[in-house]
Amino acid sequence: MRWLIPAAGLATLTGCNVSSEFLQRMEHQAKYEYYEASDFWADGRAMRTPPVGTVPRERFEKLPELKDPTQRQVALTGRSAGQPVAHLPITVDQNLLTLGQKKYNIVCSQCHGVLGDGNSIVAENMALRLPPSLLDLESKSDGHFYVAINEGYGVMPSFSGELDLRERWAVVAYVRALQTARNTRTDGQQPVPQENR
Ligand code: HEC
């Protein structure tokens, strides 16, 4: 009887190892990490480029209002007949603006400033070309902002990898909100005309 107790203890201690052999956890399974090499593909890369023209379904799943293929194409490219579209192709509501605020603060604010005025620590230390104030671009179309995010603009890279379709338009809507906020007076006075700012 006396030897039974240590034996039971030993079984408990080793139990963990024994079961892990049978019950392999996903994090320990063989898999490729980002940028890892692979013998399987001719180019030696594990990361694959999606076939040209393909769009992950979930991009549109978040935008059920876009059903028509032409509408979807406009929403995806931000262009109609090659030109940036005048207005957002999706409905702007509180949820979209909240999403836009979150994503703008994460992805854009470090350069264009939290207020969109181009004031940021990064901007102060940039030598090549400064991130412009987005507040001075009120006359630009909604599509202009989307295209800049989607395709990049001059030295600014594309942020389509960081933001999905809905998030990109959400950021455009939020930039519009920042522009509107700049012109809003809380003292009942008329907004200052652009030329006097
Ligand atoms: C790493 C810094 C950086 C980040 C992050 C960044 N930008 Fe830019 N952005 C720039 C710079 C610099 C330019 C000017 C590029 C040029 O003129 O060559 C620019 C240009 C632009 C323009 C074009 C301005 C014009 O004159 O029409 C828009 C619009 C814009 N950015 C929006 C955004 C939005 C929206 C985000 C977030 C999704 C973002 N940027 C993130 C640095 C940045």
Side-chain angles (χ1 to χ4, degrees):
M1 189 63 187
R2 225 178 295 151
W3 56 267
L4 254 182
I5 296 162
L10 199 68
T12 321
L13 279 175
T14 55
C16 188
N17 290 335
V18 172
S19 65
S20 69
E21 276 173 31
F22 297 105
L23 225 165
Q24 195 178 35
R25 297 180 64 186
M26 279 179 84
E27 59 176 312
H28 299 311
Q29 282 175 0
K31 62 176 182 296
Y32 285 117
E33 300 286 352
Y34 295 123
Y35 302 105
E36 210 170 296
S38 163
D39 296 336
F40 186 77
W41 304 96
D43 62 6
R45 298 181 307 148
M47 284 168 80
R48 310 311 306 156
T49 309
V52 176
T54 54
V55 176
R57 269 164 52 93
E58 64 272 20
R59 289 202 193 156
F60 287 112
E61 277 167 6
K62 288 189 191 168
L63 292 167
E65 61 190 291
L66 295 175
K67 293 192 174 59
D68 171 53
T70 319
Q71 249 185 337
R72 287 184 165 197
Q73 196 56 24
V74 167
L76 198 58
T77 59
R79 296 176 183 277
S80 177
Q83 293 307 310
V85 285
H87 301 294
L88 272 98
I90 59 171
T91 316
V92 179
D93 57 16
Q94 184 63 49
N95 283 341
L96 193 79
L97 284 174
T98 308
L99 176 70
Q101 179 179 39
K102 185 176 156 201
K103 292 296 167 180
Y104 177 89
N105 286 340
I106 295 171
V107 184
C108 322
S109 70
Q110 70 270 37
C111 286
H112 292 282
V114 175
L115 298 177
D117 55 7
N119 290 324
S120 70
I121 301 289
V122 174
E124 278 172 24
N125 290 288
M126 266 175 134
L128 193 57
R129 212 167 308 167
L130 294 181
S133 163
L134 300 177
L135 305 181
D136 297 330
L137 302 172
E138 282 167 311
S139 61
K140 300 280 184 182
S141 62
D142 290 348
H144 175 79
F145 295 92
Y146 181 90
V147 170
I149 298 170
N150 198 33
E151 298 175 10
Y153 184 94
V155 294
M156 185 183 94
S158 160
F159 289 97
S160 58
E162 282 75 9
L163 303 167
D164 71 21
L165 183 57
R166 183 172 149 81
E167 290 166 351
R168 287 173 225 158
W169 286 113
V171 167
V172 174
Y174 183 65
V175 169
R176 287 294 192 220
L178 287 175
Q179 292 172 343
T180 307
R182 200 247 318 238
N183 292 335
T184 306
R185 301 281 298 247
T186 49
D187 55 7
Q189 302 294 314
Q190 289 297 311
V192 182
Q194 181 119 27
E195 55 275 17
N196 299 345
R197 278 182 212 143

